[in-house]
Amino acid sequence: MARIRYVSPGVAAAIAVVAIGAGVTAGKVAFGGEDAGPGSGTSAVAGTKIDVITKATDSEFWQSMLAGARKAGQDHGIRLGLFGPTSETDIDGQVKLVENSISRGADAIVLASNSSTALNGVVERARKQGIKVVTVDNAITAANDGFIGTDNIKAGQQAGERMCELLKRKGAPDGKIVHESSVSGQQVLVDRFTGFKEGLAKDCPKAEVVQTLVNDNDLNKAVGQVGDVLSSRPDVVGVFADNNTSGTGAARAIKEKNAAGRVVAVAFDSDPAEVDGVRAGTLSAIVVQNPFFFGYQGVVEAGMAVRGSTPPVNLDPGAVLIDKSMVDKPEYAQLLNPPKDKGDGQ
């Protein structure tokens, strides 16, 4: 399998539409299967035990990843466990889930880690026991068997460039912007913000991010924070929201304050509430990833590793920036409304 880095929005959209097919093709190559139908169990990894652990099960983004993993398991006869803590802030709970996978004798783990470092110890223990670990979305600093995730700096640059375009249209290329963030210190979010500032500065060097607010993935807190800024700072004309909770919170606050005409907002991810926000104009654009692909390809690569093949070191399916002119186009339907799965509980 070729190593893929960043791809253009058009290519990323194509990947989204054919994600299932691409995963099946990769699976046949990796597993040595012929034209096996879904669940036929004729591939070389049939019966392999793979646990998939997301950052949280209360988010539709991660439920889409679990749905992708479920589909891969069905296609290849893999024995799956689909898990995640309730909240992305529950790092200890995620460590416990990995420990449970070790105790159950999983052959591989697909992990979307809530920390770049806090799970290093348990991942190292798993690999010492021969368990393959493929990481997704957020890279960890411990050794692992492959990584699948968006280049968040480049995706953030897309967001920053679009923010600049929107500010220019409002005649405010030197406008003030607030950054609504879900968690402090998580590397994917750090990268998104770094990229956002780089993209913004490219053509709007005088625009300024005046405040970063952290909502701890609490939607009500995000709504309150953005609402308070809109009330107290009439000079703020832009909001950058770095995940689905932050984006939904920003959209609700902008609607409550009747501020869509005054403020432009660019967010990450594509929860239904965010998609509705784009339609309504409370979000100007969203940067959309492909969590279904994360889950499907994560299981495929974990199966490759168990079989003795070498998965790609770093696979980036890219990201697509969606605005009101694109949100209802049929070619983006699967990307914006993928299947969901709540997993197998804890």
Side-chain angles (χ1 to χ4, degrees), residues 141-172:
T141 55
N144 55 85
D145 297 284
F147 173 73
I148 303 164
T150 304
D151 184 328
N152 282 285
I153 290 180
K154 290 187 176 180
Q157 288 170 346
Q158 288 180 266
E161 290 169 6
R162 178 55 61 92
M163 177 65 75
C164 176
E165 291 175 18
L166 294 167
L167 292 178
K168 283 182 173 180
R169 290 178 197 173
K170 293 180 71 66

Side-chain angles (χ1 to χ4, degrees), residues 9-321:
V11 174
I15 289 174
V17 173
V18 300
I20 293 176
V24 171
T25 300
K28 288 179 180 177
V29 172
F31 305 151
E34 298 300 329
D35 293 326
S40 62
T42 60
S43 75
V45 293
T48 300
K49 294 197 298 184
I50 298 177
D51 280 358
V52 179
I53 301 173
T54 65
K55 290 185 177 182
T57 56
D58 64 350
S59 162
E60 295 204 14
F61 183 91
W62 299 114
Q63 290 169 9
S64 297
M65 177 182 159
L66 292 176
R70 180 86 74 186
K71 176 62 175 168
Q74 292 169 347
D75 285 345
H76 301 294
I78 292 168
R79 296 165 58 192
L80 281 182
L82 303 179
F83 307 103
T86 302
S87 168
E88 291 189 27
T89 60
D90 187 5
I91 294 174
D92 290 341
Q94 201 175 42
V95 170
K96 183 177 179 181
L97 289 172
V98 177
E99 291 173 341
N100 291 346
S101 295
I102 296 171
S103 299
R104 282 195 299 271
D107 297 306
I109 298 170
V110 179
L111 173 66
S113 178
N114 280 329
S115 168
S116 299
T117 58
L119 278 82
N120 284 355
V122 72
V123 167
E124 289 167 355
R125 291 201 299 277
R127 296 185 81 241
K128 284 179 181 178
Q129 295 191 33
I131 300 171
K132 304 298 183 182
V133 179
V134 172
T135 55
V136 172
D137 183 67
N138 188 42
I140 62 174
T141 55
N144 55 85
D145 297 284
F147 173 73
I148 303 164
T150 304
D151 184 328
N152 282 285
I153 290 180
K154 290 187 176 180
Q157 288 170 346
Q158 288 180 266
E161 290 169 6
R162 178 55 61 92
M163 177 65 75
C164 176
E165 291 175 18
L166 294 167
L167 292 178
K168 283 182 173 180
R169 290 178 197 173
K170 293 180 71 66
D174 57 350
K176 308 297 185 185
I177 300 160
V178 65
H179 171 211
E180 181 68 23
S181 183
S182 59
V183 182
S184 295
Q186 195 173 99
Q187 193 60 48
V188 293
L189 303 181
V190 172
D191 289 348
R192 288 173 191 176
F193 189 42
T194 297
F196 175 79
K197 290 185 290 185
E198 290 175 358
L200 181 68
K202 182 179 176 182
D203 291 317
C204 292
K206 293 185 179 180
E208 182 185 1
V209 178
V210 294
Q211 192 172 10
T212 292
L213 303 167
V214 179
N215 56 56
D216 299 315
N217 260 312
D218 183 321
L219 178 57
N220 291 329
K221 188 174 180 180
V223 174
Q225 288 176 336
V226 176
D228 288 346
V229 168
L230 295 178
S231 297
S232 64
R233 297 207 55 163
D235 59 332
V236 168
V237 293
V239 178
F240 170 57
D242 64 16
N243 83 332
N244 54 341
T245 300
S246 302
T248 299
R252 288 190 185 178
I254 290 168
K255 181 179 179 179
E256 288 177 3
K257 299 296 181 180
N258 196 27
R262 165 194 151 195
V263 176
V264 296
V266 178
F268 262 77
D269 300 328
S270 58
D271 274 4
E274 289 182 291
V275 175
D276 287 343
V278 173
R279 290 192 181 104
T282 51
L283 291 178
S284 307
I286 49 177
V287 180
V288 183
Q289 303 178 85
N290 194 340
F292 188 96
F293 183 90
F294 289 176
Y296 196 108
Q297 194 66 23
V299 170
V300 167
E301 292 194 15
M304 290 175 67
V306 171
R307 187 177 184 269
S309 300
T310 303
V313 174
N314 187 345
L315 183 70
D316 173 20
V320 186
L321 195 146

